[in-house]
Amino acid sequence: MAQHADTVSGDFDLTMNELRVVAWYVVQHAEDVLPVFERAVPGDPRPRAAIEAAWTFVNGARRTRLQRVTSLDAHRAARSAPGEAARLAARSAGDAASAAYLHPIAQASQVGHILRAAASVAHIGELAAGGDPAAGDALLERSWRRATPVLVDVLRRYPPPTGGSSRVARLTGVLDQHLRAGVWGSGRP
């Protein structure tokens, strides 16, 4: 994979500005649920550090080892988190830091790096509402509204996700379909 100062190449090109837009989208979602992790595991700074590293990149700094290291640390925090909501919140923080390194390869798995945090927020909302899918629907719609034209353009360069059995995977697929279509429909995930 070739890399220039402002462009990362692979199956297609991604500019640093496009990567910043993706990271901005992911970090906003991760920030929404960071308190879920911090209430469950007070004193573990790893997810917050990943979010701070993501914002550093979004705000114009070069992507560096900082994003990689804090992403891995937040994902480690997720593995040891007590409960699904805290685990998803920490994983979202890790995804935010790693968004600076989204790969420009035409693989559906890359879509998760763009949308998994948003889907995790929706699922955390469902869990907090006693499993009510309407809570997830509302949060997915908010995520759809947060998406910029640049984010949707980047998303469309990748093949659609091929499904998955977890609730987060299904929510990712629903959000992906709506973003690609450019409309928010009434279909329940």
Side-chain angles (χ1 to χ4, degrees), residues 40-106:
V41 190
D44 186 338
R46 295 176 292 178
R48 180 171 291 280
I51 286 173
E52 290 169 0
W55 279 119
T56 297
F57 173 71
V58 168
N59 290 325
R62 294 183 49 172
R63 59 188 190 163
T64 65
R65 188 172 181 273
L66 175 67
Q67 286 81 29
R68 289 183 187 270
V69 169
T70 59
S71 172
L72 291 171
D73 287 346
H75 284 104
R76 284 185 195 101
R79 285 193 293 276
S80 62
E84 185 175 14
R87 180 180 56 79
L88 292 172
R91 187 173 72 177
S92 295
D95 289 351
S98 66
Y101 286 94
L102 179 68
H103 298 295
I105 53 177

Short mmCIF file of all heavy atoms in Angstrom, two decimals, residues 40-106:
data_model
loop_
_atom_site.label_atom_id
_atom_site.label_comp_id
_atom_site.label_asym_id
_atom_site.label_seq_id
_atom_site.Cartn_x
_atom_site.Cartn_y
_atom_site.Cartn_z
N ALA A 40 -18.61 1.90 34.81
CA ALA A 40 -18.38 0.49 35.10
C ALA A 40 -16.96 0.22 35.59
O ALA A 40 -16.74 -0.68 36.40
CB ALA A 40 -18.68 -0.37 33.86
N VAL A 41 -16.01 0.98 35.07
CA VAL A 41 -14.60 0.76 35.40
C VAL A 41 -13.94 2.11 35.71
O VAL A 41 -13.13 2.61 34.93
CB VAL A 41 -13.85 0.05 34.24
CG1 VAL A 41 -12.46 -0.39 34.69
CG2 VAL A 41 -14.63 -1.13 33.71
N PRO A 42 -14.31 2.71 36.83
CA PRO A 42 -13.69 4.00 37.15
C PRO A 42 -12.19 3.83 37.35
O PRO A 42 -11.74 2.84 37.90
CB PRO A 42 -14.39 4.43 38.44
CG PRO A 42 -15.02 3.19 38.99
CD PRO A 42 -15.21 2.23 37.86
N GLY A 43 -11.45 4.77 36.85
CA GLY A 43 -10.01 4.70 37.03
C GLY A 43 -9.26 4.04 35.89
O GLY A 43 -8.03 4.04 35.90
N ASP A 44 -9.95 3.47 34.90
CA ASP A 44 -9.25 2.91 33.74
C ASP A 44 -9.24 3.97 32.65
O ASP A 44 -10.28 4.26 32.05
CB ASP A 44 -9.95 1.64 33.25
CG ASP A 44 -9.16 0.94 32.14
OD1 ASP A 44 -8.33 1.60 31.47
OD2 ASP A 44 -9.39 -0.27 31.93
N PRO A 45 -8.09 4.57 32.39
CA PRO A 45 -8.03 5.70 31.45
C PRO A 45 -7.89 5.31 29.98
O PRO A 45 -7.86 6.18 29.12
CB PRO A 45 -6.76 6.43 31.91
CG PRO A 45 -5.87 5.32 32.38
CD PRO A 45 -6.81 4.32 33.05
N ARG A 46 -7.82 4.03 29.68
CA ARG A 46 -7.47 3.62 28.31
C ARG A 46 -8.49 4.06 27.26
O ARG A 46 -8.07 4.61 26.22
CB ARG A 46 -7.23 2.12 28.26
CG ARG A 46 -6.01 1.71 29.09
CD ARG A 46 -5.80 0.23 29.13
NE ARG A 46 -6.88 -0.42 29.89
CZ ARG A 46 -6.99 -1.73 30.06
NH1 ARG A 46 -6.06 -2.55 29.53
NH2 ARG A 46 -7.98 -2.25 30.76
N PRO A 47 -9.80 3.87 27.43
CA PRO A 47 -10.73 4.34 26.40
C PRO A 47 -10.70 5.87 26.22
O PRO A 47 -10.74 6.37 25.09
CB PRO A 47 -12.09 3.83 26.88
CG PRO A 47 -11.74 2.61 27.68
CD PRO A 47 -10.48 3.00 28.39
N ARG A 48 -10.62 6.60 27.32
CA ARG A 48 -10.54 8.06 27.21
C ARG A 48 -9.28 8.48 26.46
O ARG A 48 -9.32 9.39 25.62
CB ARG A 48 -10.58 8.72 28.59
CG ARG A 48 -10.51 10.25 28.51
CD ARG A 48 -10.76 10.91 29.84
NE ARG A 48 -12.14 10.74 30.27
CZ ARG A 48 -13.17 11.46 29.85
NH1 ARG A 48 -12.99 12.39 28.94
NH2 ARG A 48 -14.38 11.24 30.32
N ALA A 49 -8.16 7.82 26.71
CA ALA A 49 -6.92 8.14 25.99
C ALA A 49 -7.07 7.88 24.50
O ALA A 49 -6.55 8.64 23.67
CB ALA A 49 -5.76 7.32 26.56
N ALA A 50 -7.80 6.83 24.13
CA ALA A 50 -8.03 6.53 22.71
C ALA A 50 -8.88 7.62 22.06
O ALA A 50 -8.62 8.05 20.93
CB ALA A 50 -8.70 5.17 22.56
N ILE A 51 -9.89 8.08 22.78
CA ILE A 51 -10.73 9.16 22.26
C ILE A 51 -9.91 10.44 22.10
O ILE A 51 -10.01 11.14 21.07
CB ILE A 51 -11.96 9.36 23.17
CG1 ILE A 51 -12.94 8.20 22.93
CG2 ILE A 51 -12.63 10.71 22.92
CD1 ILE A 51 -14.12 8.16 23.86
N GLU A 52 -9.07 10.74 23.07
CA GLU A 52 -8.21 11.92 22.95
C GLU A 52 -7.26 11.80 21.77
O GLU A 52 -7.01 12.78 21.05
CB GLU A 52 -7.46 12.15 24.26
CG GLU A 52 -8.37 12.61 25.38
CD GLU A 52 -7.72 12.60 26.76
OE1 GLU A 52 -6.52 12.24 26.87
OE2 GLU A 52 -8.42 12.95 27.73
N ALA A 53 -6.73 10.61 21.54
CA ALA A 53 -5.84 10.40 20.39
C ALA A 53 -6.59 10.57 19.08
O ALA A 53 -6.06 11.12 18.10
CB ALA A 53 -5.21 9.01 20.47
N ALA A 54 -7.83 10.11 19.05
CA ALA A 54 -8.65 10.29 17.84
C ALA A 54 -8.88 11.78 17.57
O ALA A 54 -8.74 12.23 16.43
CB ALA A 54 -9.98 9.56 17.99
N TRP A 55 -9.23 12.53 18.61
CA TRP A 55 -9.44 13.97 18.43
C TRP A 55 -8.16 14.67 17.99
O TRP A 55 -8.21 15.62 17.19
CB TRP A 55 -9.99 14.61 19.70
CG TRP A 55 -11.46 14.43 19.87
CD1 TRP A 55 -12.10 13.79 20.90
CD2 TRP A 55 -12.50 14.89 18.99
NE1 TRP A 55 -13.46 13.82 20.71
CE2 TRP A 55 -13.73 14.49 19.55
CE3 TRP A 55 -12.51 15.58 17.79
CZ2 TRP A 55 -14.95 14.77 18.93
CZ3 TRP A 55 -13.72 15.86 17.17
CH2 TRP A 55 -14.92 15.46 17.75
N THR A 56 -7.02 14.21 18.48
CA THR A 56 -5.74 14.79 18.05
C THR A 56 -5.60 14.68 16.54
O THR A 56 -5.24 15.65 15.86
CB THR A 56 -4.57 14.09 18.78
OG1 THR A 56 -4.72 14.33 20.18
CG2 THR A 56 -3.23 14.60 18.30
N PHE A 57 -5.91 13.50 15.99
CA PHE A 57 -5.84 13.31 14.55
C PHE A 57 -6.91 14.13 13.83
O PHE A 57 -6.63 14.82 12.85
CB PHE A 57 -5.98 11.82 14.21
CG PHE A 57 -6.08 11.57 12.73
CD1 PHE A 57 -4.99 11.75 11.90
CD2 PHE A 57 -7.28 11.15 12.16
CE1 PHE A 57 -5.08 11.54 10.53
CE2 PHE A 57 -7.38 10.93 10.80
CZ PHE A 57 -6.27 11.13 9.98
N VAL A 58 -8.15 14.06 14.32
CA VAL A 58 -9.26 14.79 13.69
C VAL A 58 -8.93 16.28 13.60
O VAL A 58 -9.23 16.93 12.59
CB VAL A 58 -10.58 14.58 14.46
CG1 VAL A 58 -11.66 15.55 14.02
CG2 VAL A 58 -11.06 13.14 14.30
N ASN A 59 -8.31 16.80 14.63
CA ASN A 59 -8.01 18.24 14.67
C ASN A 59 -6.77 18.65 13.90
O ASN A 59 -6.33 19.79 14.02
CB ASN A 59 -7.92 18.70 16.13
CG ASN A 59 -9.28 18.69 16.79
OD1 ASN A 59 -10.30 18.96 16.16
ND2 ASN A 59 -9.31 18.36 18.07
N GLY A 60 -6.21 17.74 13.10
CA GLY A 60 -5.17 18.13 12.15
C GLY A 60 -3.79 17.57 12.38
O GLY A 60 -2.91 17.75 11.53
N ALA A 61 -3.56 16.90 13.48
CA ALA A 61 -2.23 16.32 13.70
C ALA A 61 -2.04 15.12 12.77
O ALA A 61 -3.01 14.51 12.31
CB ALA A 61 -2.07 15.89 15.15
N ARG A 62 -0.80 14.79 12.54
CA ARG A 62 -0.50 13.60 11.74
C ARG A 62 -0.95 12.37 12.50
O ARG A 62 -0.95 12.34 13.73
CB ARG A 62 1.00 13.52 11.48
CG ARG A 62 1.51 14.63 10.60
CD ARG A 62 2.96 14.44 10.33
NE ARG A 62 3.15 13.05 9.89
CZ ARG A 62 4.27 12.54 9.43
NH1 ARG A 62 5.33 13.28 9.36
NH2 ARG A 62 4.35 11.30 9.06
N ARG A 63 -1.29 11.33 11.78
CA ARG A 63 -1.57 10.06 12.45
C ARG A 63 -0.22 9.47 12.84
O ARG A 63 0.75 9.50 12.07
CB ARG A 63 -2.39 9.13 11.57
CG ARG A 63 -1.76 8.78 10.26
CD ARG A 63 -2.72 8.03 9.38
NE ARG A 63 -2.00 7.50 8.23
CZ ARG A 63 -2.43 6.55 7.45
NH1 ARG A 63 -3.61 6.01 7.67
NH2 ARG A 63 -1.72 6.12 6.45
N THR A 64 -0.19 8.95 14.04
CA THR A 64 1.08 8.47 14.59
C THR A 64 0.85 7.19 15.37
O THR A 64 -0.26 6.67 15.44
CB THR A 64 1.71 9.51 15.54
OG1 THR A 64 0.86 9.66 16.68
CG2 THR A 64 1.90 10.86 14.86
N ARG A 65 1.90 6.77 15.99
CA ARG A 65 1.84 5.60 16.87
C ARG A 65 0.83 5.80 18.00
O ARG A 65 0.27 4.85 18.52
CB ARG A 65 3.26 5.37 17.41
CG ARG A 65 3.44 4.11 18.18
CD ARG A 65 4.93 3.91 18.49
NE ARG A 65 5.10 2.67 19.21
CZ ARG A 65 5.02 2.55 20.53
NH1 ARG A 65 4.79 3.60 21.27
NH2 ARG A 65 5.18 1.37 21.10
N LEU A 66 0.59 7.05 18.37
CA LEU A 66 -0.36 7.36 19.44
C LEU A 66 -1.74 6.74 19.17
O LEU A 66 -2.33 6.13 20.06
CB LEU A 66 -0.49 8.88 19.62
CG LEU A 66 -1.54 9.34 20.63
CD1 LEU A 66 -1.13 8.94 22.05
CD2 LEU A 66 -1.73 10.85 20.52
N GLN A 67 -2.23 6.89 17.96
CA GLN A 67 -3.54 6.33 17.63
C GLN A 67 -3.51 4.80 17.68
O GLN A 67 -4.43 4.17 18.19
CB GLN A 67 -4.02 6.81 16.26
CG GLN A 67 -4.49 8.25 16.24
CD GLN A 67 -3.34 9.25 16.15
OE1 GLN A 67 -2.28 8.97 15.60
NE2 GLN A 67 -3.54 10.43 16.74
N ARG A 68 -2.46 4.21 17.17
CA ARG A 68 -2.36 2.74 17.17
C ARG A 68 -2.30 2.18 18.60
O ARG A 68 -3.00 1.24 18.94
CB ARG A 68 -1.13 2.28 16.39
CG ARG A 68 -1.24 2.47 14.89
CD ARG A 68 0.00 1.90 14.22
NE ARG A 68 0.04 2.19 12.81
CZ ARG A 68 -0.48 1.42 11.87
NH1 ARG A 68 -1.10 0.32 12.18
NH2 ARG A 68 -0.37 1.76 10.59
N VAL A 69 -1.44 2.75 19.41
CA VAL A 69 -1.23 2.24 20.78
C VAL A 69 -2.49 2.42 21.62
O VAL A 69 -2.94 1.49 22.32
CB VAL A 69 -0.01 2.92 21.44
CG1 VAL A 69 0.07 2.60 22.92
CG2 VAL A 69 1.27 2.48 20.73
N THR A 70 -3.09 3.61 21.56
CA THR A 70 -4.28 3.83 22.38
C THR A 70 -5.46 3.00 21.90
O THR A 70 -6.29 2.57 22.71
CB THR A 70 -4.66 5.33 22.44
OG1 THR A 70 -4.90 5.81 21.12
CG2 THR A 70 -3.58 6.14 23.14
N SER A 71 -5.52 2.74 20.60
CA SER A 71 -6.58 1.87 20.08
C SER A 71 -6.44 0.46 20.66
O SER A 71 -7.42 -0.11 21.16
CB SER A 71 -6.52 1.81 18.56
OG SER A 71 -7.41 0.83 18.07
N LEU A 72 -5.25 -0.08 20.60
CA LEU A 72 -5.02 -1.41 21.15
C LEU A 72 -5.31 -1.46 22.65
O LEU A 72 -5.92 -2.42 23.14
CB LEU A 72 -3.58 -1.86 20.88
CG LEU A 72 -3.25 -2.14 19.41
CD1 LEU A 72 -1.74 -2.35 19.24
CD2 LEU A 72 -4.02 -3.34 18.90
N ASP A 73 -4.91 -0.42 23.36
CA ASP A 73 -5.17 -0.37 24.80
C ASP A 73 -6.67 -0.34 25.10
O ASP A 73 -7.15 -1.01 26.02
CB ASP A 73 -4.49 0.84 25.43
CG ASP A 73 -2.98 0.69 25.55
OD1 ASP A 73 -2.47 -0.44 25.38
OD2 ASP A 73 -2.31 1.72 25.80
N ALA A 74 -7.42 0.45 24.34
CA ALA A 74 -8.87 0.52 24.55
C ALA A 74 -9.54 -0.81 24.23
O ALA A 74 -10.47 -1.24 24.93
CB ALA A 74 -9.48 1.64 23.72
N HIS A 75 -9.05 -1.49 23.20
CA HIS A 75 -9.61 -2.82 22.88
C HIS A 75 -9.27 -3.83 23.99
O HIS A 75 -10.08 -4.71 24.29
CB HIS A 75 -9.14 -3.29 21.50
CG HIS A 75 -9.87 -2.60 20.39
ND1 HIS A 75 -9.32 -1.60 19.65
CD2 HIS A 75 -11.13 -2.76 19.93
CE1 HIS A 75 -10.19 -1.18 18.76
NE2 HIS A 75 -11.31 -1.86 18.91
N ARG A 76 -8.11 -3.70 24.59
CA ARG A 76 -7.78 -4.55 25.75
C ARG A 76 -8.72 -4.24 26.92
O ARG A 76 -9.18 -5.15 27.62
CB ARG A 76 -6.33 -4.35 26.17
CG ARG A 76 -5.34 -5.03 25.27
CD ARG A 76 -3.90 -4.90 25.81
NE ARG A 76 -2.97 -5.23 24.77
CZ ARG A 76 -2.30 -4.34 24.03
NH1 ARG A 76 -2.41 -3.05 24.26
NH2 ARG A 76 -1.48 -4.74 23.08
N ALA A 77 -9.00 -2.97 27.13
CA ALA A 77 -9.95 -2.58 28.19
C ALA A 77 -11.32 -3.19 27.91
O ALA A 77 -12.02 -3.62 28.83
CB ALA A 77 -10.04 -1.06 28.29
N ALA A 78 -11.71 -3.24 26.65
CA ALA A 78 -13.00 -3.83 26.28
C ALA A 78 -13.06 -5.30 26.65
O ALA A 78 -14.07 -5.79 27.17
CB ALA A 78 -13.27 -3.64 24.79
N ARG A 79 -11.98 -6.01 26.39
CA ARG A 79 -11.97 -7.45 26.69
C ARG A 79 -12.13 -7.75 28.17
O ARG A 79 -12.67 -8.79 28.54
CB ARG A 79 -10.69 -8.09 26.15
CG ARG A 79 -10.71 -8.27 24.64
CD ARG A 79 -9.60 -9.17 24.16
NE ARG A 79 -8.27 -8.62 24.35
CZ ARG A 79 -7.67 -7.78 23.52
NH1 ARG A 79 -8.28 -7.37 22.45
NH2 ARG A 79 -6.45 -7.35 23.76
N SER A 80 -11.69 -6.84 29.02
CA SER A 80 -11.79 -7.09 30.46
C SER A 80 -12.95 -6.32 31.12
O SER A 80 -13.09 -6.37 32.34
CB SER A 80 -10.47 -6.73 31.15
OG SER A 80 -10.18 -5.37 31.00
N ALA A 81 -13.76 -5.65 30.32
CA ALA A 81 -14.86 -4.85 30.88
C ALA A 81 -15.97 -5.74 31.44
O ALA A 81 -16.27 -6.79 30.86
CB ALA A 81 -15.42 -3.93 29.81
N PRO A 82 -16.59 -5.31 32.53
CA PRO A 82 -17.68 -6.08 33.12
C PRO A 82 -19.01 -5.74 32.45
O PRO A 82 -19.57 -4.69 32.67
CB PRO A 82 -17.68 -5.62 34.59
CG PRO A 82 -17.20 -4.19 34.50
CD PRO A 82 -16.23 -4.16 33.36
N GLY A 83 -19.46 -6.57 31.60
CA GLY A 83 -20.76 -6.35 30.96
C GLY A 83 -20.65 -5.89 29.52
O GLY A 83 -19.66 -5.27 29.11
N GLU A 84 -21.70 -6.20 28.78
CA GLU A 84 -21.70 -5.92 27.35
C GLU A 84 -21.65 -4.44 27.03
O GLU A 84 -20.92 -4.01 26.14
CB GLU A 84 -22.95 -6.55 26.70
CG GLU A 84 -22.97 -6.42 25.20
CD GLU A 84 -24.14 -7.14 24.55
OE1 GLU A 84 -25.09 -7.52 25.26
OE2 GLU A 84 -24.10 -7.29 23.32
N ALA A 85 -22.41 -3.62 27.73
CA ALA A 85 -22.43 -2.19 27.42
C ALA A 85 -21.06 -1.56 27.64
O ALA A 85 -20.59 -0.79 26.79
CB ALA A 85 -23.49 -1.48 28.26
N ALA A 86 -20.40 -1.87 28.73
CA ALA A 86 -19.07 -1.32 28.99
C ALA A 86 -18.07 -1.82 27.96
O ALA A 86 -17.21 -1.07 27.49
CB ALA A 86 -18.61 -1.69 30.40
N ARG A 87 -18.20 -3.08 27.58
CA ARG A 87 -17.31 -3.65 26.56
C ARG A 87 -17.49 -2.92 25.23
O ARG A 87 -16.51 -2.53 24.58
CB ARG A 87 -17.60 -5.14 26.38
CG ARG A 87 -16.72 -5.82 25.34
CD ARG A 87 -17.04 -7.31 25.21
NE ARG A 87 -18.43 -7.58 24.90
CZ ARG A 87 -18.98 -7.48 23.68
NH1 ARG A 87 -18.25 -7.09 22.66
NH2 ARG A 87 -20.25 -7.76 23.49
N LEU A 88 -18.73 -2.70 24.82
CA LEU A 88 -18.99 -2.00 23.56
C LEU A 88 -18.51 -0.56 23.60
O LEU A 88 -17.99 -0.03 22.61
CB LEU A 88 -20.48 -2.04 23.24
CG LEU A 88 -21.05 -3.42 22.90
CD1 LEU A 88 -22.57 -3.36 22.79
CD2 LEU A 88 -20.44 -3.98 21.63
N ALA A 89 -18.65 0.09 24.75
CA ALA A 89 -18.19 1.47 24.88
C ALA A 89 -16.68 1.57 24.73
O ALA A 89 -16.16 2.44 24.02
CB ALA A 89 -18.65 2.05 26.22
N ALA A 90 -15.94 0.68 25.38
CA ALA A 90 -14.48 0.69 25.27
C ALA A 90 -14.03 0.34 23.86
O ALA A 90 -13.10 0.95 23.32
CB ALA A 90 -13.87 -0.27 26.28
N ARG A 91 -14.70 -0.62 23.24
CA ARG A 91 -14.35 -0.99 21.87
C ARG A 91 -14.60 0.17 20.92
O ARG A 91 -13.81 0.40 19.99
CB ARG A 91 -15.14 -2.23 21.44
CG ARG A 91 -14.70 -2.76 20.08
CD ARG A 91 -15.35 -4.05 19.75
NE ARG A 91 -16.76 -3.82 19.43
CZ ARG A 91 -17.59 -4.76 19.04
NH1 ARG A 91 -17.19 -6.01 18.94
NH2 ARG A 91 -18.85 -4.46 18.75
N SER A 92 -15.65 0.93 21.15
CA SER A 92 -15.93 2.10 20.31
C SER A 92 -14.80 3.13 20.42
O SER A 92 -14.41 3.74 19.42
CB SER A 92 -17.26 2.73 20.71
OG SER A 92 -18.33 1.85 20.43
N ALA A 93 -14.28 3.31 21.61
CA ALA A 93 -13.15 4.23 21.80
C ALA A 93 -11.93 3.73 21.03
O ALA A 93 -11.24 4.52 20.37
CB ALA A 93 -12.83 4.38 23.28
N GLY A 94 -11.68 2.44 21.09
CA GLY A 94 -10.57 1.88 20.32
C GLY A 94 -10.78 2.05 18.82
O GLY A 94 -9.84 2.37 18.08
N ASP A 95 -12.01 1.87 18.37
CA ASP A 95 -12.32 2.07 16.95
C ASP A 95 -12.09 3.52 16.54
O ASP A 95 -11.64 3.79 15.42
CB ASP A 95 -13.77 1.68 16.66
CG ASP A 95 -14.01 0.18 16.72
OD1 ASP A 95 -13.03 -0.60 16.82
OD2 ASP A 95 -15.20 -0.22 16.69
N ALA A 96 -12.39 4.46 17.43
CA ALA A 96 -12.18 5.88 17.11
C ALA A 96 -10.71 6.17 16.86
O ALA A 96 -10.36 6.86 15.90
CB ALA A 96 -12.73 6.75 18.24
N ALA A 97 -9.85 5.66 17.73
CA ALA A 97 -8.42 5.91 17.55
C ALA A 97 -7.88 5.23 16.30
O ALA A 97 -7.04 5.78 15.59
CB ALA A 97 -7.65 5.46 18.78
N SER A 98 -8.39 4.04 16.00
CA SER A 98 -7.87 3.32 14.84
C SER A 98 -8.45 3.81 13.52
O SER A 98 -7.95 3.44 12.45
CB SER A 98 -8.10 1.82 14.99
OG SER A 98 -9.48 1.52 14.97
N ALA A 99 -9.47 4.65 13.55
CA ALA A 99 -10.07 5.15 12.30
C ALA A 99 -9.06 5.92 11.45
O ALA A 99 -9.20 5.98 10.22
CB ALA A 99 -11.28 6.03 12.61
N ALA A 100 -8.04 6.46 12.06
CA ALA A 100 -6.99 7.15 11.30
C ALA A 100 -6.27 6.19 10.35
O ALA A 100 -5.65 6.62 9.39
CB ALA A 100 -5.99 7.78 12.26
N TYR A 101 -6.38 4.91 10.62
CA TYR A 101 -5.68 3.90 9.83
C TYR A 101 -6.63 3.00 9.05
O TYR A 101 -6.30 1.86 8.73
CB TYR A 101 -4.77 3.07 10.74
CG TYR A 101 -3.55 3.85 11.14
CD1 TYR A 101 -3.53 4.55 12.35
CD2 TYR A 101 -2.44 3.94 10.31
CE1 TYR A 101 -2.42 5.30 12.71
CE2 TYR A 101 -1.32 4.69 10.67
CZ TYR A 101 -1.32 5.36 11.86
OH TYR A 101 -0.22 6.10 12.21
N LEU A 102 -7.82 3.51 8.71
CA LEU A 102 -8.75 2.78 7.86
C LEU A 102 -8.03 2.38 6.58
O LEU A 102 -7.34 3.19 5.97
CB LEU A 102 -9.96 3.67 7.54
CG LEU A 102 -11.03 3.07 6.65
CD1 LEU A 102 -11.75 1.93 7.37
CD2 LEU A 102 -12.03 4.16 6.26
N HIS A 103 -8.17 1.13 6.18
CA HIS A 103 -7.47 0.63 4.99
C HIS A 103 -8.28 0.87 3.73
O HIS A 103 -9.47 0.56 3.69
CB HIS A 103 -7.18 -0.87 5.13
CG HIS A 103 -6.31 -1.20 6.28
ND1 HIS A 103 -5.00 -0.80 6.37
CD2 HIS A 103 -6.56 -1.90 7.42
CE1 HIS A 103 -4.48 -1.24 7.50
NE2 HIS A 103 -5.41 -1.90 8.15
N PRO A 104 -7.65 1.37 2.67
CA PRO A 104 -8.35 1.58 1.41
C PRO A 104 -8.36 0.30 0.56
O PRO A 104 -7.87 0.27 -0.57
CB PRO A 104 -7.54 2.71 0.75
CG PRO A 104 -6.15 2.48 1.24
CD PRO A 104 -6.29 1.94 2.64
N ILE A 105 -8.88 -0.76 1.14
CA ILE A 105 -8.99 -2.03 0.42
C ILE A 105 -10.46 -2.40 0.35
O ILE A 105 -11.21 -2.21 1.29
CB ILE A 105 -8.17 -3.14 1.11
CG1 ILE A 105 -8.52 -3.27 2.59
CG2 ILE A 105 -6.68 -2.89 0.95
CD1 ILE A 105 -7.80 -4.39 3.32
N ALA A 106 -10.86 -2.91 -0.79
CA ALA A 106 -12.27 -3.19 -1.06
C ALA A 106 -12.72 -4.46 -0.35
O ALA A 106 -12.96 -5.49 -0.98
CB ALA A 106 -12.52 -3.27 -2.56
#
